[in-house]
Amino acid sequence: MTSTGQPHSESTLNYVGFWPRVGASIIDTLILMVITLPPLILIYGWTYLESEQLFLGTADVVINWIFPFIAIVAFWAYKQATPGKMAIAARIVDAKTGGKPSLQQYVIRYIGYFISTIPLGLGLLWVAWDEKKQGWHDKLANTVVEVVKPTVISEPTENC
């Protein structure tokens, strides 16, 4: 929304490019690793890091698959961004209105990450050359990542 409360037009959105989004992803990945690795090592031991199995058990599925899904979608729903995106002053918006995406769009976007990764990460790399800086996950969910414009707060003037 603009400062007047009107939705953005597509031409007023300032899209976040490939490298800042890579940086945000690295931040998010590190945070998730700090949260998930300790309980996984406590439950499965250090051999967890050497395992070639996709799923080692219920705890593995909950900690590695369900928890990240809930945490990421919750951040998107409440803040329109993950901590990594917040660190680079970016947020996810609906591509058509510039407003807050729906929960359905967030879920589609999350699932779209897996689709974007399958063909050698091509769907993620797409951000680098797309006009709106959309990866395939963004295109599927009809979202874009925009730069958060700082709110200007004017200080009261003193009357002398």
Side-chain angles (χ1 to χ4, degrees), residues 59-96:
D60 183 28
V61 172
V62 169
I63 295 168
N64 265 333
W65 297 91
I66 297 171
F67 169 73
F69 169 76
I70 292 169
I72 290 168
V73 172
F75 263 105
W76 288 345
Y78 291 107
K79 297 287 190 176
Q80 289 183 259
T82 55
K85 282 189 180 48
M86 287 186 260
I88 65 162
R91 68 178 176 178
I92 302 162
V93 297
D94 182 272
K96 287 187 179 161

Side-chain angles (χ1 to χ4, degrees), residues 104-123:
Q104 180 180 358
Q105 284 176 285
Y106 289 136
V107 170
I108 291 169
R109 189 174 195 275
Y110 188 88
I111 294 166
Y113 275 122
F114 296 98
I115 295 166
S116 296
T117 305
I118 291 170
L120 303 174
L122 182 62

Side-chain angles (χ1 to χ4, degrees), residues 26-141:
I26 290 169
I27 292 167
D28 292 335
T29 300
L30 290 173
I31 290 170
L32 276 173
M33 285 177 60
V34 166
I35 294 169
T36 60
L37 270 180
L40 288 167
I41 291 170
L42 274 172
I43 295 166
Y44 298 106
W46 288 100
T47 57
Y48 175 81
L49 300 174
E50 299 168 2
S51 176
E52 293 180 12
Q53 290 181 281
L54 186 58
F55 305 110
L56 291 179
T58 304
D60 183 28
V61 172
V62 169
I63 295 168
N64 265 333
W65 297 91
I66 297 171
F67 169 73
F69 169 76
I70 292 169
I72 290 168
V73 172
F75 263 105
W76 288 345
Y78 291 107
K79 297 287 190 176
Q80 289 183 259
T82 55
K85 282 189 180 48
M86 287 186 260
I88 65 162
R91 68 178 176 178
I92 302 162
V93 297
D94 182 272
K96 287 187 179 161
T97 67
K100 186 175 182 178
S102 68
L103 183 59
Q104 180 180 358
Q105 284 176 285
Y106 289 136
V107 170
I108 291 169
R109 189 174 195 275
Y110 188 88
I111 294 166
Y113 275 122
F114 296 98
I115 295 166
S116 296
T117 305
I118 291 170
L120 303 174
L122 182 62
L124 300 173
L125 294 170
W126 205 261
V127 172
W129 54 80
D130 187 78
E131 182 180 302
K132 295 181 185 178
K133 304 300 179 194
Q134 288 177 298
W136 292 356
H137 54 287
D138 289 309
K139 290 184 179 297
L140 288 168

